[in-house]
Amino acid sequence: MPSRSLVLVSASPRRSDLLRQAGLEFAVWPAEIDETPLPGEAPGDLAERLACAKARALPPARRATLAIAADTVVAIGETILGKPRHPGAPRRLLGQLSGRTHEVITAVALRALPEETVVSDRCRSRVTFAPMSARDIAWYAGTGEGMDKAGAYALQGIGAFFVASIEGSYTNVIGLPLERLLAHLRRYGFLDPPPPSRS
């Protein structure tokens, strides 16, 4: 059994689902921070800055804790495609993604308490959308699935109909690259280490 508790600093049900599927028990503590990009801030830098800010937003704990925070940014080149803020925004964002390849960057920050150490990592995936007709865009936008998601789509939902290919981590596109978490979780005793190799 791990000697510390695990806290997911995120309200995202998709991130919670990924951790549960990995067999982990954890508490959820959403953090509200200002997610406005800084002038000229690169997509990866934005994701990492926000992930670290979320991790640091968790109040001090009474017992040893490992906090996991993440932030996902969708970008075409250096242009950040944020979360839609009004009903018309999904159509505009999906029109930019249609028939093109974009990057999904998720930064993960882990804060150990009471040690107050924070480590962070980034993962990039390239996602190519199939061409979408105006009717496709209107139909998918009308489902409302993408309203709270970077890039206005969900890979694990209806949006999968329009994803032609993925280069890189699948779980990164959902919002939490599990392969980047593995070594950290093992270090803190949340997952068993692999058995010794037989030679």
Side-chain angles (χ1 to χ4, degrees), residues 64-128:
T65 302
L66 181 66
I68 298 175
D71 191 81
T72 300
V73 172
V74 172
I76 297 176
E78 293 298 300
T79 301
I80 296 169
L81 306 183
K83 297 176 183 178
R85 301 300 182 190
H86 55 83
R91 292 193 186 199
R92 177 181 59 80
L93 292 170
L94 292 169
Q96 291 177 271
L97 296 176
S98 174
R100 301 178 69 182
T101 298
H102 62 274
E103 282 197 327
V104 179
I105 305 146
T106 299
V108 178
L110 298 102
R111 176 184 170 202
L113 297 162
E115 298 91 339
E116 286 298 354
T117 59
V118 177
V119 296
S120 58
D121 197 1
R122 306 180 191 180
C123 184
R124 290 176 181 263
S125 301
R126 289 171 57 83
V127 179
T128 300

Side-chain angles (χ1 to χ4, degrees), residues 23-57:
L24 295 164
E25 295 183 4
F26 55 95
V28 175
W29 194 91
E32 293 292 333
I33 64 167
D34 183 358
E35 299 187 3
T36 305
L38 300 175
E41 190 169 29
D45 294 340
L46 171 64
E48 191 159 2
R49 177 174 64 82
L50 296 183
C52 290
K54 291 175 184 178
R56 291 189 174 99

Side-chain angles (χ1 to χ4, degrees), residues 125-151:
S125 301
R126 289 171 57 83
V127 179
T128 300
F129 258 49
M132 301 174 72
S133 67
R135 188 174 180 180
D136 290 333
I137 291 172
W139 172 72
Y140 182 50
T143 69
E145 182 178 75
M147 276 304 296
D148 65 337
K149 299 169 183 69

